[in-house]
Amino acid sequence: MKIDGTPYRSIWVDETDGWSVRIIDQTKLPWNVDLVRLTTLEEMAHAIKAMLVRGAPLIGASAAYGVALAMRHDAADAALAQALEVLGATRPTAINLRWALRRMGAALQSVEPAKREAAAYAEAAKICDEDVAVNEAIGRNGLALIEEKAKSGKRVNILTHCNAGWIATVDWGTALAPIYMAHDAGIDVHVWVEETRPRNQGASLTAWELGKHGVKHTVIADNAGGHYMQHGEVDLVIVGTDRVTRQGDVCNKIGTYLKALAAHDNNVPFWVALPSSTIDWTIRDGVAEIPIEERAASEVTTMTGRAMDGSIATVRIVPTSSPAANPAFDVTPARLVTGLITERGLCEATESALTGMFSDLA
Amino acid sequence: MKIDGTPYRSIWVDETDGWSVRIIDQTKLPWNVDLVRLTTLEEMAHAIKAMLVRGAPLIGASAAYGVALAMRHDAADAALAQALEVLGATRPTAINLRWALRRMGAALQSVEPAKREAAAYAEAAKICDEDVAVNEAIGRNGLALIEEKAKSGKRVNILTHCNAGWIATVDWGTALAPIYMAHDAGIDVHVWVEETRPRNQGASLTAWELGKHGVKHTVIADNAGGHYMQHGEVDLVIVGTDRVTRQGDVCNKIGTYLKALAAHDNNVPFWVALPSSTIDWTIRDGVAEIPIEERAASEVTTMTGRAMDGSIATVRIVPTSSPAANPAFDVTPARLVTGLITERGLCEATESALTGMFSDLA
């Protein structure tokens, strides 16, 4: 998508030297757009660990390029094994990271060392292009929903939670892909961006990327979403997801469940956008079976932003003696989900619909 | 209630001089407990306008003492009229402010100027004592609900939103009154305190007052409330309200509606605590008929807290070019409300139950 008129991906090989890897340092957003240049395995491992890059698909792509950087330096078997190990240890729970490293290992192990550098760059590029293609297909399939709403001739208001945008993937994003397509097609679309406490990915990342591409949007407190639905100000909810179960239960950023309830109560369609790789075919009941990560209380008790003097500062917003709890995700039962937007098409959030559309995977 | 073991009200006449008025400067909470001394009408008007005191019942009590301070200085008819006008202009929409000033005017107009100072202090004290008595009755009636839950022998977990505690009233509070009574009675009670974005009254005021009185609590993001209900971690929701309609619709701080939906979806009782003066007998449909105040976008785009160096600082948390919207309240339809906790007893959120219990007011 675009940043102030210029098209970008969230990761790419430097145009000038043809081998170093460029990323946008997402820890600096929305205040600074730092196009960091990475030249070694160690630099890429740090970028993943310190969350300069985040979002499951982008982490996978970054790890792939981390292997390529390592092979440029030393393409021996031991160096390849070492690269896979170092990168695999950066984010212990990221599924896409492990998947991308397995794929890179499989692609390179049978290749002679002299040809590994070129093969690694080619495979990493392929992983990126495939991610873009999947997200583009999600966007195209979701676009139909927005076009349907646009027939009224009025502005289409879409509410989203957290960040499932292009900077969480290589390009397009998942939940935001249909929105970018609608915008680019000239549809009058406006996004209610929930700030998404406690980590504020909505206020800091979704608002930033929509603004930079030129999509109309308004940031609101997470508390306000239900009120706007009650008053007919939301035509559609589209969110991303971290894991979908076999029966269509949706695990996503904490607070998603509350918006699904409000959408259901006000007859607002509630759609979830995802690549099929996000479906966990091994479980059914998301509320009972998905363990919810408990993150640091400091994410609730403090807030980081830009101080009046331009510096980035952190302030405490909870009394020092008060404890805080911080579950990072919740589960929305399938009964509250209107449907899933996948790369193969729109799909009901039911086991029969999912196993029907993805019979080769289920 | 208590601050570190010492009982307080939120407003009182200074023990030493017997005439100046003490308040807790609530703009300094939770970081500093400043017991400000007010000696003139102008100081009290400023305290109300600048929100050193807030919460409808406390604003009314403060205005009453503002009249008393004015009468001490000059008890002539013109000075009385002037005091009522100055105080009436401090917060244009506060119902309790107008009510308290009408009552002070009625009590003083027929009294000869020489006796007005004493009469004004007496009437202000009466307004305070009546508020405490009403809240104590609300607390007693709500306590029964907590005692019922405590019969299981397990800790009783109560979720609340925003601040309807003792510092919003003269003492006890509304939603928190039953909780203080349960705590004082030795019941093992724990409160999930929602931070209540965007103004954070939960994180900064409710957490502070519960902590100072010694009530166990945990601060959570507003997004987390539904998740805890899904997992059986909430036994009861109790919130306050700014206005209840004739049919029992509840207008309260933005985000309350989302918690009512989650409570309903998980069979968690959802109770609203209020003095009967909060009931607006002139309207029925809250969603259609209650205008919702739109507050400054800066409440969403910035956050104030304590910086690492101990100073109070404000940081911006939304990109400069992104607009924000800030509806301050939402309406929870009566169908989602288990019942109302009033000074006369527990009451269903229906027109027949309300007009039955309050036949003298309806």
Side-chain angles (χ1 to χ4, degrees), chain B residues 306-326:
Chain B
R306 193 168 67 172
M308 297 305 140
D309 65 2
S311 66
I312 303 303
T314 298
V315 295
R316 185 168 173 109
I317 55 174
V318 171
T320 322
S321 54
S322 290
N326 184 15

Side-chain angles (χ1 to χ4, degrees), chain A residues 317-332:
Chain A
I317 55 174
V318 171
T320 322
S321 54
S322 291
N326 183 16
F329 302 96
D330 65 20
V331 173
T332 299

Side-chain angles (χ1 to χ4, degrees), chain B residues 135 159 162 209 220 229 242 268 296 329 344 353-354:
Chain B
N135 297 332
L159 183 139
C162 200
E209 62 166 87
I220 55 172
M229 292 189 213
D242 293 83
V268 174
F329 303 96
R344 293 195 192 169
L354 275 165

Side-chain angles (χ1 to χ4, degrees), chain B:
Chain B
M1 299 294 97
K2 291 178 184 164
I3 302 178
D4 296 332
T6 306
Y8 279 88
R9 282 186 176 187
S10 63
I11 188 166
W12 68 98
V13 173
D14 187 89
E15 312 76 355
T16 318
D17 64 27
W19 66 269
S20 67
V21 180
R22 292 277 187 170
I23 58 162
I24 301 164
D25 180 352
Q26 299 194 23
T27 65
K28 301 277 171 56
L29 295 178
W31 309 114
N32 293 297
V33 182
D34 268 10
L35 306 181
V36 174
R37 181 168 172 260
L38 304 172
T39 60
T40 64
L41 165 66
E42 290 70 28
E43 285 176 358
M44 183 61 85
H46 170 77
I48 299 171
K49 194 179 264 183
M51 298 179 73
L52 279 67
V53 288
R54 32 65 63 188
L58 177 55
I59 288 172
S62 300
Y65 273 116
V67 174
L69 289 171
M71 293 303 95
R72 183 178 157 81
H73 178 70
D74 178 356
D77 285 359
L80 175 57
Q82 161 81 355
L84 297 177
E85 196 187 314
V86 167
L87 290 161
T90 49
R91 293 284 299 273
T93 56
I95 301 285
N96 283 56
L97 175 68
R98 237 149 292 287
W99 167 86
L101 291 174
R102 264 201 311 275
R103 179 160 157 179
M104 292 300 286
L108 300 181
Q109 259 135 14
S110 58
V111 173
E112 56 175 306
K115 295 182 175 167
R116 273 185 184 156
E117 182 189 341
Y121 276 98
E123 192 67 18
K126 220 170 133 194
I127 285 175
C128 288
D129 290 345
E130 286 173 15
D131 181 63
V132 175
V134 163
N135 297 332
E136 200 179 345
I138 290 170
R140 218 165 30 239
N141 294 329
L143 175 60
L145 299 170
I146 302 176
E147 286 173 334
E148 184 61 35
K149 290 285 178 189
K151 282 184 185 161
S152 70
K154 287 186 292 191
R155 186 175 88 164
V156 180
N157 291 297
I158 302 171
L159 183 139
T160 193
H161 191 70
C162 200
N163 177 257
W166 73 268
I167 60 171
T169 63
V170 177
D171 206 355
W172 290 108
T174 53
L176 298 193
I179 293 169
Y180 285 121
M181 286 199 187
H183 171 84
D184 290 354
I187 293 173
D188 185 14
V189 66
H190 166 263
V191 184
W192 294 110
V193 177
E194 295 206 316
E195 63 171 343
T196 318
R197 282 282 290 152
R199 284 178 63 85
N200 282 38
Q201 297 94 331
S204 60
L205 302 178
T206 299
W208 176 82
E209 62 166 87
L210 290 174
K212 287 298 178 186
H213 192 77
V215 181
K216 276 185 285 188
H217 65 283
T218 305
V219 177
I220 55 172
D222 305 304
N223 282 326
H227 168 73
Y228 285 116
M229 292 189 213
Q230 281 181 315
H231 290 271
E233 307 261 21
V234 181
D235 297 303
L236 212 56
V237 179
I238 310 180
V239 297
T241 171
D242 293 83
R243 180 141 53 142
V244 169
T245 73
R246 191 179 181 86
Q247 71 183 17
D249 290 349
V250 171
C251 182
N252 191 42
K253 191 65 53 190
I254 191 77
T256 302
Y257 165 56
L258 296 170
K259 292 309 131 58
L261 285 168
H264 190 259
D265 198 46
N266 293 286
N267 294 311
V268 174
F270 184 92
W271 289 89
V272 180
L274 64 144
S276 57
S277 56
T278 304
I279 303 166
D280 183 345
W281 299 102
T282 67
I283 57 173
R284 283 192 170 79
D285 182 342
V287 175
E289 295 183 71
I290 299 179
I292 300 297
E293 179 188 357
E294 178 73 24
R295 294 183 54 88
S298 60
E299 292 183 354
V300 175
T301 59
T302 65
M303 182 77 89
T304 298
R306 193 168 67 172
M308 297 305 140
D309 65 2
S311 66
I312 303 303
T314 298
V315 295
R316 185 168 173 109
I317 55 174
V318 171
T320 322
S321 54
S322 290
N326 184 15
F329 303 96
D330 64 21
V331 173
T332 299
R335 66 183 151 85
L336 300 174
V337 177
T338 307
L340 308 172
I341 308 170
T342 79
E343 73 273 24
R344 293 195 192 169
L346 304 178
C347 181
E348 269 184 21
T350 62
E351 181 159 355
S352 60
L354 275 165
T355 54
M357 182 171 278
F358 299 97
S359 55
D360 52 330
L361 306 173

